[in-house]
Amino acid sequence: MIIDILTLFPESFSYLNSSILKRAQEAGKIELNIIDIRDFSKDKHKKCDDYPFGGGAGMLMTAQPIFDAFQSVKKDSSKIIFPSPVGKVLNPEMAKNLSKEGHLIFICGHYEGIDQRIIELLKPEEISIGDYVLTGGELPTMVIVDCLARFIDGVITEESLSEESFASGNLEYPQYTRPQVFQGLEVPEVLLSGNHQEIAKWRKEQSQLRTKENRPDLI
């Protein structure tokens, strides 16, 4: 999969070159490209924002640099994503569907957002990561990329996908590692028993209990 990210702040994306995403790139599972929108500005000062028509707080990203940056990477098969609080909220099924695409282009808004004509011309899929507002689209883009990358074949194991939160409709059960006792708290005895049937039963019960207490809306 090729992922092109259009942004005014390329330095924001160092996280994508670490941990699992770094290994995925090294293995050729993902190709990540960060494109600086400012490089495409025709303004002599490389300005990429202006005051909105009709007034209002803040500045709005102008259409021309975004459109030209998009034109530089688009393909016939490109799927365009615009992280936005007005979009549908991200969920595992959406992430899984995105992971099957061959080429994704993310457009990162900033300030008060982007000129609406970019939305009308490019018709991106607008995706929200929750009912709150951030200062720009860089963080939501990283969240979406990280989430969808997990569903690309070979990035993480099938076992990890099947055991994590939301995979079965419930939240993931609690997990423990060494030492057996820490600050007076012990690992549940069942996890030390070697009885895989009882361990599976305990994990299922804990998953259901955690979901009931923390996310009853999922039941």
Side-chain angles (χ1 to χ4, degrees), residues 2-219:
I2 299 174
I3 300 176
D4 289 317
I5 299 172
L6 314 185
T7 176
L8 289 175
F9 301 94
E11 67 277 7
S12 302
F13 291 92
S14 59
Y15 165 77
L16 298 182
N17 293 316
S18 62
S19 188
I20 291 173
L21 289 174
K22 179 181 180 181
R23 294 197 294 272
Q25 292 176 76
E26 291 173 343
K29 303 293 183 181
I30 303 173
E31 177 186 325
L32 277 170
N33 304 303
I34 312 299
I35 293 91
D36 191 340
I37 295 172
R38 204 174 299 278
D39 290 342
F40 295 85
S41 175
K42 294 179 179 178
D43 180 84
K44 65 179 181 179
H45 300 297
K46 295 298 181 182
K47 186 178 179 183
C48 293
D49 62 342
D50 211 331
Y51 294 102
F53 285 119
M59 305 287 278
L60 202 64
M61 288 178 65
T62 53
Q64 176 271 313
I66 301 172
F67 186 79
D68 287 356
F70 165 77
Q71 291 287 99
S72 75
V73 296
K74 74 167 186 176
K75 298 178 174 64
D76 290 339
S77 60
S78 301
K79 184 173 182 62
I80 312 158
I81 307 296
F82 178 53
S84 167
V86 307
K88 294 181 179 178
V89 178
L90 180 68
N91 60 44
E93 192 61 33
M94 290 169 64
K96 187 180 296 184
N97 289 336
L98 289 175
S99 74
K100 298 173 184 176
E101 299 287 341
H103 183 215
L104 295 175
I105 300 175
F106 285 83
I107 300 173
C108 299
H110 215 80
Y111 312 119
E112 291 300 309
I114 66 175
D115 190 305
Q116 178 64 23
R117 287 168 292 189
I118 289 295
I119 305 297
E120 294 172 8
L121 287 167
L122 305 185
K123 297 178 172 54
E125 181 175 350
E126 299 185 68
I127 298 177
S128 169
I129 62 167
D131 295 335
Y132 49 88
V133 178
L134 300 173
T135 56
E138 285 74 22
L139 284 172
T141 292
M142 285 188 275
V143 168
I144 298 168
V145 169
D146 188 286
C147 187
L148 71 87
R150 297 170 63 81
F151 292 102
I152 295 175
D153 187 42
V155 172
I156 63 172
T157 66
E158 286 294 325
E159 183 181 10
S160 293
L161 285 173
S162 65
E163 293 288 320
E164 62 190 14
S165 292
F166 310 112
S168 64
N170 290 316
L171 302 181
E172 190 176 11
Y173 48 79
Q175 301 213 56
Y176 303 84
T177 187
R178 293 178 177 82
Q180 187 174 330
V181 181
F182 180 73
Q183 295 288 307
L185 298 176
E186 297 188 22
V187 175
E189 188 174 341
V190 64
L191 299 178
L192 308 173
S193 67
N195 187 324
H196 297 294
Q197 187 174 352
E198 287 300 311
I199 290 171
K201 179 183 176 183
W202 179 87
R203 285 175 169 170
K204 182 177 181 180
E205 290 171 349
Q206 291 297 311
S207 176
Q208 292 172 338
L209 179 62
R210 181 178 268 186
T211 304
K212 182 178 180 180
E213 290 180 346
N214 296 339
R215 289 292 304 277
D217 57 296
L218 295 176
I219 299 175

